[in-house]
Amino acid sequence: CQWVDQLPVDTVILEVGLGGRLDAVNVFDADVCGLMSISRDHQEVLGPRYDLILKEKFGIARSNSPMISSFCLDYLNEKLARLSSCGVLWHNLKNIFEGFCKLSFEQRNFLSAWYLMKLSLEETTESYYERDERNKILNLLPEKAMVGRGEVISRKDFHLRIYGTHN
């Protein structure tokens, strides 16, 4: 917490590692959260099935706060729809951006980070849901994979510094 307070940044995106409910990022009261992927890591803690893992990861969600997801599996989206009915303001990127699941892994991650940033800055409006606006951001997606940690991606007035891990 002290490290984040000392940074001259507007927005911090923290990755949940072990799982949502049990993860250290829960010391922060997030304005916005995102569920980007589900894998079978840490099964001994999170459980052996996708629905159990999703339920644990959903522990980062806050009632009356936005949460985005980038799941392409309908099964996970159906389970998430049930979980998010408790008042979480769910933004399903698969439904918002046409062809989302046809994008590369890197492009989906970039788009997810961009959308999280827009939500955290409260810059999303109904116009972002219009087809023309969605297509504009799709044209800004990088074509190559990320070079590595600390890379800066800039498009017009948007700057994103990546300090990612395996996700």
Side-chain angles (χ1 to χ4, degrees), residues 65-82:
S65 292
M67 176 193 72
I68 74 164
S69 70
S70 62
F71 302 140
C72 290
L73 288 176
D74 290 333
Y75 172 79
L76 289 175
N77 287 315
E78 290 167 10
K79 295 290 182 187
L80 193 51
R82 287 189 203 122

Side-chain angles (χ1 to χ4, degrees), residues 17-18 38-47 50 53 57 166-167:
L18 178 60
I38 296 288
S39 65
R40 295 188 193 270
D41 293 355
H42 313 296
Q43 289 185 40
E44 67 282 355
V45 176
L46 302 177
Y50 279 159
I53 296 168
K57 289 197 177 236
H166 70 283
N167 288 332

Side-chain angles (χ1 to χ4, degrees), residues 21-63:
R21 185 177 65 87
L22 303 172
D23 201 86
V25 301
N26 268 326
V27 301
F28 296 97
D29 190 20
D31 296 324
V32 179
C33 69
L35 295 174
M36 303 299 101
S37 65
I38 296 288
S39 65
R40 295 188 193 270
D41 293 355
H42 313 296
Q43 289 185 40
E44 67 282 355
V45 176
L46 302 177
R49 300 187 330 248
Y50 279 159
D51 62 324
L52 298 174
I53 296 168
L54 177 62
K55 187 175 180 181
E56 289 292 330
K57 289 197 177 236
F58 188 75
I60 65 169
R62 304 291 188 260
S63 184

Side-chain angles (χ1 to χ4, degrees), residues 13 15 148-151 161-165:
I13 300 172
E15 178 188 11
R149 292 182 181 167
E151 180 178 0
R161 182 176 298 273
I162 304 294
Y163 284 101
T165 60

Side-chain angles (χ1 to χ4, degrees), residues 86-144:
C86 67
V88 172
L89 308 174
W90 179 33
H91 298 252
N92 183 350
L93 295 184
K94 179 182 178 186
N95 293 340
I96 293 172
F97 293 97
E98 185 177 334
F100 181 80
C101 292
K102 293 179 182 176
L103 298 172
S104 71
F105 178 78
E106 292 84 7
Q107 290 173 322
R108 288 193 313 267
N109 278 351
F110 178 89
L111 188 57
S112 299
W114 173 84
Y115 199 86
L116 276 168
M117 182 194 71
K118 288 295 191 180
L119 281 175
S120 69
L121 298 175
E122 298 179 2
E123 293 181 0
T124 55
T125 63
E126 290 303 315
S127 67
Y128 282 100
Y129 298 103
E130 294 174 6
R131 182 181 302 260
D132 290 343
E133 292 297 322
R134 292 190 305 243
N135 289 337
K136 285 179 186 175
I137 188 59
L138 291 175
N139 291 331
L140 299 176
L141 295 175
E143 293 180 17
K144 65 172 185 70

